[in-house]
Amino acid sequence: MQLRKSWLVLLVLLASAGVAHAQGRTITGTLQEAETREPVIGATILVVGTDLAAISEADGSFTIEGAPAGEVTLAVSAVTYETQDVVVAAGQSQVAVSMALARSEEILIVGRAPQITRQNLANGASVVKGDEMTEVSSQTVESALQGRISGANIQSNSGAPGGGIQIKLRGVSTINGEASPLFVIDGVIVSNEAIPSGISAVTESAGGSNTAVQDNPVNRIADLNPNDIESIEVLKGPAAAALYGSKATNGVIIITTKRGRPGEVRVNVMQRFGTYQLSNTLGSRQFSRQEAEDVFGAAGAAEWDANNGRVFNQEELLAGETGLASETSVSLSGGTDNTNYYTSVMARRDPGIIPNTGYEKQSMRLNLGHSLGKKLRVAATANLVHSDSSRSVTNNDNASISHYMVLPFTPSFWNPNQRADGTYPSNPFIGSGNNPLETANLMSDSEETWRLLGSASANYRAWETDTQSVNFGANFGVDRYQQQNALLFPSSLNFTAPDGAKGIALDATAEVRNFNLGLNGVYNLRPASGAFQAATTVGFQYEDRDISTLYVEGRNLNAGVTNVHAAASVSALETRQRVRDAGVHLQQEVRMLQDRLTLLGAVLGERSSANGDTDQIFFYPKAAATYSVPVPETFPVELVRVRVAYGETGNKPPFDFKYTAANGDQNVEGNAGIVTAGIAGDDGIEPERQREIEGGFDVVGFDGRAVFEFTLYRRKIDGLILESAPAPSTGYTVERINGGALRNRGVELMAQYTPIRQEGGLTWLSRAVFSLNRSRITDLDVPAFFVGGFGVGLGAFRVERNHSATQIVGNINDGATVGVVGDAEPDFRMSFVNNVSFGDFELTSLVDWQQGSEVINLTKFLYDAGSNSADWNSGGEERFMRWAAGNTEEYVEDASFVKLREISVAYNLPKGLVSQIGPMDSARVSVSGRNLFTWTPYTGLDPEVSNFGAQTIARNIDVAPFPPSRSFWFSIEAGF
């Protein structure tokens, strides 16, 4: 039911005042904002099927006289709030209505969200409120989401400050395609690229493989300020995300930032102080003098004698920093009936536990909305972010410089501490001479990013009557950032590179721009009879992405020289990418059978410059239905809803897969020439095609105290983008093709219950989330192949028909055969959230549980290889010998864990006390912690480790990571 014009409402009120309704009744009520409980002023309340209407007063109250005696429906609407229908039973005379703020992106994000089923009720979609994510401080948005979403595996790549987290929704979706979900912030399709720093030029970690996954990069969604978020909606599969086409194979995460609300100016201030501390160590062997000489020879005996066998805890010396962390956030919001505004500033500092590491971020945001008359509403957002992170040198390397690649071969009786003269001793047990403490303290590693995100949107109510309306919407978004990496390994370091270089400098610049435009029109129809409601949406969208990177490396710097160009040897590497997508979509929704049945159908036609044929249009359909089952009034159940949905998405080919690679720096008979690089592109390559069907049901009972959701899904990915080995006669060693299929099946559950709910007293809300997924390669047009790892001797990921997509294979039976030794996919994931409030006190906790999933523990292998593991004499030596005999499973470990992810205790100061302190109307203090305890059989630093970053499959590899930490926080919040 659409809004009537104000003058018409007034005429109806005046007319009805003079008419006697002998058979009618009077209905009174109040309107409140759902979250703040503040009155909603100026809302329109219409009695469906009649000319009766009212407008809410200053206190949110309204009165309708002469309403029919039987059951009636009130259509309640107000600017910036979601329109809703309220059923008033026969004989009922009073109602209380909670009004939820409108989620603008559901209309303005290129019209892709349903208009009637506003929460994607037929699909797998999870909604997380912003307040939930900021209860306990987190460095990034992704870490705040850990444990809150069913069907999501949110895994940190390491413990390094500043991010580096991958979100995987409903299992593996691809092998060589894009691995990250699509992020949309206030209508802006944003970049979540993880651009490597280039440090692999020093660590030589690539070894012929992809350097990007071994440089410990930060994925850029870390730039967002969690305090600005109103809510996050996660569309997990094609059934929900089909209208995002070839960008949505890994799901879509829609982020809505805060808006101002009509009323007085509101100022919120938050100040946090905290600290990080090393949460786990591996330990190392304690040597007798004889053992030191047996393992390290005369040098070992000499060092043991020099320190009288003293044991140095080298891990704590390296990662024992506990600097002061802080976060300051100030926001201002408010508005009138026509204009709303929200602005915020934030400054955050997170020192790392290794010297010279940390993460700093500053953010400024401005959100504006304004109604130009009754028909046109415009909005704009701007977000400026500056961040600077230093992550030291960790992860795999082949140059003996990464900290946890050096420590396994360095005995505990060697003293790495700085000498009195300010110098550090050279490490006599490492060929490079690297001293981890010296490297950490003297190297510099900066990743500075400046980022601007902006959007503008408009919604025009072109035409409306009591039963019909036509709206037009448009949105525009830009995401632009520059990432600058500067790394310096001065020549004064004891470290010497394998090529003999002393002093290495690296400068890297990455420029990324995302641009998107959307236009849409919506036609709504609702006959006066109320028999059905329908919405038809037509839309156009265009996206343009540009990425440019430049790496400059200088080797052999003179003492005191830091500039790259001053090195004896200088080299450069430049890459450029540009992808353009365009699409048109049509969506139809119908709600009928007294609003019990909702049907939805939609299709997107899209083309992309990344495809082999840039003019070919690929279609992505979706269909969904929900039905609310009638429930007898005597049942303790208020709602039983059954739902089913089907959808298709794609995963566009990587930028260069349609091109045949060539090297332009070759010499042909003394002349500059271009020579193919042995990789054949496919000029007909297509997006991978993902098809998903899901079904489930939702139950709400016991006066809303119990909520249960169940979802079952099956999805199939065809046309996997693969690399095959063509015939030698072609002259190529690698060929890119579409071939093969992958299947995922899974279950998602959510159960919420409020066992205690006392008005003004004790309230306890408990929620559990459960999910499991099983993957299988159902078809493969090429022979089985490896996608990561260090060979079967140490464990490797192999893609093989009729096997799990995430299987780990290795030597078994004393090397007699190669078989499955593990799987990176968890058996299941589960989390428990509890919120307890009593008076002004609140206690919240989040426990995260992962069962199953194996990790290749190569850090432990390195300690064993150096005869330096803490349990060498009680089992380590035997373990290493069993591996040497051909049993890879010795270093493939169960990564099950239970983590106390979050806990917080807060106290809301009484309003009477607050008013005496100053011009505040609310104040809150809290103490909290993140990742405080971990219970796990895993013997490595952290069972969530994944040194190979933004990959789809080869993730669970532990090789010299940045060690994990726990954090403690004290917070003060005040509202004015």
Side-chain angles (χ1 to χ4, degrees):
M1 172 64 68
Q2 301 299 316
L3 295 176
R4 298 189 178 208
K5 307 224 182 280
S6 298
W7 59 267
L8 179 59
V9 173
L10 291 174
L11 288 175
V12 170
L13 291 173
L14 291 172
S16 61
V19 179
H21 295 275
Q23 302 299 321
R25 56 176 165 151
T26 299
I27 298 176
T28 62
T30 57
L31 306 182
Q32 289 184 330
E33 185 174 306
E35 293 187 7
T36 65
R37 298 302 178 187
E38 295 179 356
V40 177
I41 306 169
T44 302
I45 305 96
L46 303 176
V47 180
V48 176
T50 74
D51 290 330
L52 300 175
I55 296 176
S56 59
E57 304 294 339
D59 59 355
S61 64
F62 68 88
T63 301
I64 297 177
E65 297 181 352
E71 181 182 282
V72 297
T73 299
L74 305 181
V76 185
S77 58
V79 176
T80 75
Y81 293 90
E82 292 184 357
T83 300
Q84 60 177 295
D85 293 341
V86 179
V87 176
V88 182
Q92 183 180 352
S93 60
Q94 293 183 335
V95 294
V97 183
S98 293
M99 303 288 288
L101 289 170
R103 300 180 59 195
S104 61
E105 85 283 3
E106 291 185 340
I107 296 176
L108 299 179
I109 291 182
V110 292
R112 303 188 202 187
Q115 303 298 306
I116 299 175
T117 54
R118 302 185 69 85
Q119 298 295 332
N120 296 290
L121 295 177
N123 312 117
S126 295
V127 178
V128 180
K129 294 296 184 182
D131 293 344
E132 290 185 64
M133 298 191 303
T134 56
E135 191 71 36
V136 178
S137 179
S138 62
Q139 292 183 15
T140 65
V141 172
E142 318 99 288
S143 61
L145 287 174
Q146 286 181 305
R148 299 189 182 279
I149 303 170
S150 64
N153 189 346
I154 303 175
Q155 184 177 11
S156 301
N157 296 331
S158 75
I165 293 178
Q166 183 168 348
I167 301 177
K168 187 163 59 177
L169 301 173
R170 292 184 172 176
V172 173
S173 298
T174 185
I175 296 173
N176 292 309
E178 174 62 48
S180 171
L182 177 69
F183 284 85
V184 181
I185 304 175
D186 293 329
V188 184
I189 296 177
V190 301
S191 170
N192 190 35
E193 294 290 331
I195 299 175
S197 65
I199 199 172
S200 59
V202 180
T203 63
E204 301 187 9
S205 60
S209 64
N210 186 357
T211 62
V213 301
Q214 298 195 46
D215 272 10
N216 203 12
V218 176
N219 45 315
R220 292 266 57 100
I221 202 65
D223 296 331
L224 189 64
N225 177 10
N227 300 299
D228 286 339
I229 295 176
E230 182 71 32
S231 66
I232 294 181
E233 184 175 5
V234 182
L235 310 182
K236 304 169 194 173
L243 294 190
Y244 289 90
S246 61
K247 294 173 287 297
T249 282
N250 303 293
V252 181
I253 298 180
I254 299 173
I255 299 176
T256 306
T257 59
K258 294 178 179 178
R259 300 290 191 270
R261 303 168 184 175
E264 296 182 355
V265 176
R266 180 77 181 171
V267 178
N268 289 290
V269 179
M270 180 188 68
Q271 179 63 60
R272 281 177 167 150
F273 296 101
T275 185
Y276 293 82
Q277 65 174 221
L278 178 66
S279 61
N280 192 22
T281 60
L282 296 174
S284 61
R285 182 179 176 183
Q286 297 188 23
F287 292 85
S288 67
R289 188 186 187 283
Q290 185 60 52
E291 288 173 332
E293 186 173 3
D294 291 343
V295 176
F296 300 103
E303 286 292 336
W304 197 98
D305 290 338
N307 295 298
N308 296 316
R310 178 185 172 187
V311 173
F312 296 90
N313 191 328
Q314 294 162 351
E315 289 180 271
E316 290 192 356
L317 290 173
L318 173 69
E321 299 288 302
T322 56
L324 179 66
S326 64
E327 179 181 5
T328 304
S329 177
V330 179
S331 67
L332 181 148
S333 63
T336 65
D337 290 343
N338 294 324
T339 304
N340 64 284
Y341 54 88
Y342 171 88
T343 185
S344 71
V345 293
M346 184 272 290
R348 184 183 180 98
R349 179 179 181 273
D350 293 291
I353 57 176
I354 292 178
N356 279 336
T357 64
Y359 177 60
E360 296 185 8
K361 178 167 62 179
Q362 301 85 41
S363 171
M364 298 176 61
R365 172 174 287 278
L366 175 63
N367 291 352
L368 295 173
H370 182 65
S371 294
L372 300 172
K374 299 295 184 179
K375 290 181 175 292
L376 181 62
R377 175 98 181 153
V378 295
T381 71
N383 187 199
L384 177 65
V385 183
H386 171 256
S387 66
D388 196 347
S389 63
S390 299
R391 299 160 71 84
S392 198
V393 52
T394 55
N395 282 14
N396 178 46
D397 90 324
N398 293 303
S400 297
I401 184 174
S402 183
H403 302 321
Y404 271 88
M405 292 291 286
V406 173
L407 293 179
F409 301 96
T410 304
S412 59
F413 53 78
W414 178 66
N415 183 2
N417 285 300
Q418 188 177 26
R419 301 187 184 107
D421 62 0
T423 63
Y424 289 84
S426 176
N427 190 339
F429 306 101
I430 299 294
S432 67
N434 181 63
N435 180 333
L437 267 65
E438 178 190 45
T439 301
N441 280 282
L442 300 185
M443 73 162 286
S444 62
D445 167 26
S446 171
E447 180 171 290
E448 186 176 21
T449 303
W450 284 96
R451 186 172 194 173
L452 179 63
L453 298 98
S455 70
S457 59
N459 189 42
Y460 180 63
R461 297 180 178 181
W463 174 66
E464 58 184 329
T465 68
D466 293 346
T467 59
Q468 302 176 74
S469 68
V470 175
N471 295 336
F472 293 105
N475 80 297
F476 164 84
V478 174
D479 174 18
R480 174 72 169 82
Y481 68 85
Q482 182 178 58
Q483 176 180 310
Q484 190 92 24
N485 290 87
L487 298 95
L488 175 65
F489 296 83
S491 57
S492 59
L493 290 175
N494 286 300
F495 164 71
T496 302
D499 64 356
K502 292 286 289 185
I504 302 174
L506 297 150
D507 279 346
T509 300
E511 296 187 358
V512 180
R513 178 200 31 84
N514 275 26
F515 162 84
N516 66 279
L517 171 69
L519 303 171
N520 65 88
V522 182
Y523 170 66
N524 285 284
L525 172 64
R526 183 169 184 172
S529 64
F532 69 92
Q533 180 180 356
T536 305
T537 304
V538 178
F540 166 79
Q541 54 260 12
Y542 174 80
E543 292 101 30
D544 190 318
R545 183 186 70 175
D546 191 289
I547 303 176
S548 299
T549 62
L550 175 63
Y551 294 88
V552 182
E553 173 192 349
R555 303 178 77 87
N556 286 314
L557 292 166
N558 289 324
V561 176
T562 61
N563 293 337
V564 174
H565 78 276
S569 174
V570 179
S571 61
L573 174 65
E574 184 177 13
T575 64
R576 295 177 180 176
Q577 300 180 23
R578 189 171 189 182
V579 177
R580 299 176 179 177
D581 304 331
V584 176
H585 74 267
L586 173 66
Q587 182 168 262
Q588 179 65 58
E589 304 166 70
V590 179
R591 191 164 67 184
M592 60 184 70
L593 301 182
Q594 297 180 327
D595 292 341
R596 294 190 178 277
L597 176 64
T598 301
L599 303 175
L600 180 147
V603 64
L604 167 72
E606 180 190 69
R607 66 183 186 182
S608 172
S609 64
N611 300 331
D613 183 351
T614 58
D615 293 326
Q616 184 174 355
I617 298 176
F618 294 88
F619 293 94
Y620 302 98
K622 64 180 291 186
T626 63
Y627 181 70
S628 297
V629 180
V631 179
E633 294 185 1
T634 56
F635 279 30
V637 174
E638 292 92 58
L639 172 68
V640 176
R641 180 172 49 232
V642 181
R643 46 188 166 80
V644 63
Y646 171 83
E648 299 182 15
T649 56
N651 198 349
K652 65 168 61 73
F655 170 77
D656 59 347
F657 267 45
K658 68 178 180 180
Y659 301 111
T660 295
N663 292 325
D665 57 353
Q666 301 299 297
N667 185 294
V668 180
E669 296 182 354
N671 299 308
I674 298 175
V675 178
T676 58
I679 301 176
D682 181 359
D683 58 6
I685 200 161
E686 298 181 352
E688 297 174 341
R689 171 71 60 163
Q690 181 174 169
R691 299 173 174 88
E692 179 182 72
I693 184 168
E694 69 170 75
F697 60 88
D698 310 314
V699 180
V700 179
F702 299 98
D703 194 23
R705 297 173 67 171
V707 181
F708 180 77
E709 298 176 0
F710 171 85
T711 300
L712 183 70
Y713 64 86
R714 180 187 186 277
R715 62 177 177 171
K716 180 81 174 294
I717 302 97
D718 294 304
L720 292 175
I721 298 171
L722 304 175
E723 295 185 338
S724 68
S729 60
T730 64
Y732 297 104
T733 57
V734 176
E735 180 183 23
R736 273 78 180 258
I737 65 169
N738 289 105
L742 166 65
R743 184 192 70 206
N744 282 279
R745 293 173 174 169
V747 175
E748 297 167 358
L749 304 173
M750 191 283 288
Q752 178 175 296
Y753 187 61
T754 307
I756 302 175
R757 186 169 62 188
Q758 299 174 348
E759 190 69 30
L762 178 64
T763 299
W764 172 23
L765 182 146
S766 184
R767 181 170 68 249
V769 174
F770 172 91
S771 59
L772 64 84
N773 181 83
R774 298 291 181 267
S775 68
R776 180 168 291 273
I777 302 293
T778 58
D779 192 18
L780 200 60
D781 294 350
V782 299
F785 59 92
F786 293 101
V787 291
F790 295 88
V792 295
L794 293 173
F797 290 84
R798 183 169 68 184
V799 174
E800 186 176 5
R801 186 175 182 179
N802 294 326
H803 286 73
S804 168
T806 51
Q807 68 170 352
I808 304 172
V809 300
N811 293 323
I812 59 176
N813 301 325
D814 292 336
T817 58
V818 174
V820 178
V821 295
D823 197 304
E825 186 76 51
D827 296 336
F828 64 82
R829 290 188 66 96
M830 196 168 185
S831 62
F832 306 89
V833 176
N834 283 276
N835 298 319
V836 179
S837 62
F838 181 75
D840 294 320
F841 289 91
E842 298 177 11
L843 169 66
T844 64
S845 67
L846 170 59
V847 176
D848 202 0
W849 174 18
Q850 173 178 284
Q851 183 61 41
S853 181
E854 277 76 39
V855 168
I856 303 173
N857 191 348
L858 298 186
T859 307
K860 186 174 184 178
F861 166 78
L862 293 171
Y863 271 90
D864 282 354
S867 303
N868 198 21
S869 49
D871 65 342
W872 177 260
N873 293 324
S874 60
E877 183 176 13
E878 294 179 5
R879 178 174 59 243
F880 189 69
M881 294 304 294
R882 288 193 298 270
W883 168 83
N887 296 285
T888 302
E889 61 262 41
E890 293 298 326
Y891 295 103
V892 179
E893 296 189 38
D894 180 9
S896 299
F897 66 82
V898 175
K899 284 194 175 188
L900 179 56
R901 188 75 73 182
E902 296 179 3
I903 189 167
S904 170
V905 178
Y907 176 64
N908 296 292
L909 275 66
K911 290 188 177 295
L913 177 61
V914 171
S915 61
Q916 297 177 15
I917 297 176
M920 299 181 292
D921 61 10
S922 66
R924 173 186 173 97
V925 296
S926 65
V927 291
S928 60
R930 180 175 292 277
N931 295 326
L932 297 187
F933 299 102
T934 301
W935 296 270
T936 178
Y938 185 64
T939 60
L941 287 169
D942 190 344
E944 291 188 281
V945 69
S946 179
N947 291 130
F948 286 77
Q951 292 202 88
T952 56
I953 294 179
R955 290 190 49 76
N956 287 21
I957 301 177
D958 180 338
V959 52
F962 195 108
S965 61
R966 58 172 64 95
S967 61
F968 303 87
W969 295 89
F970 172 74
S971 304
I972 303 174
E973 301 172 59
F976 300 87

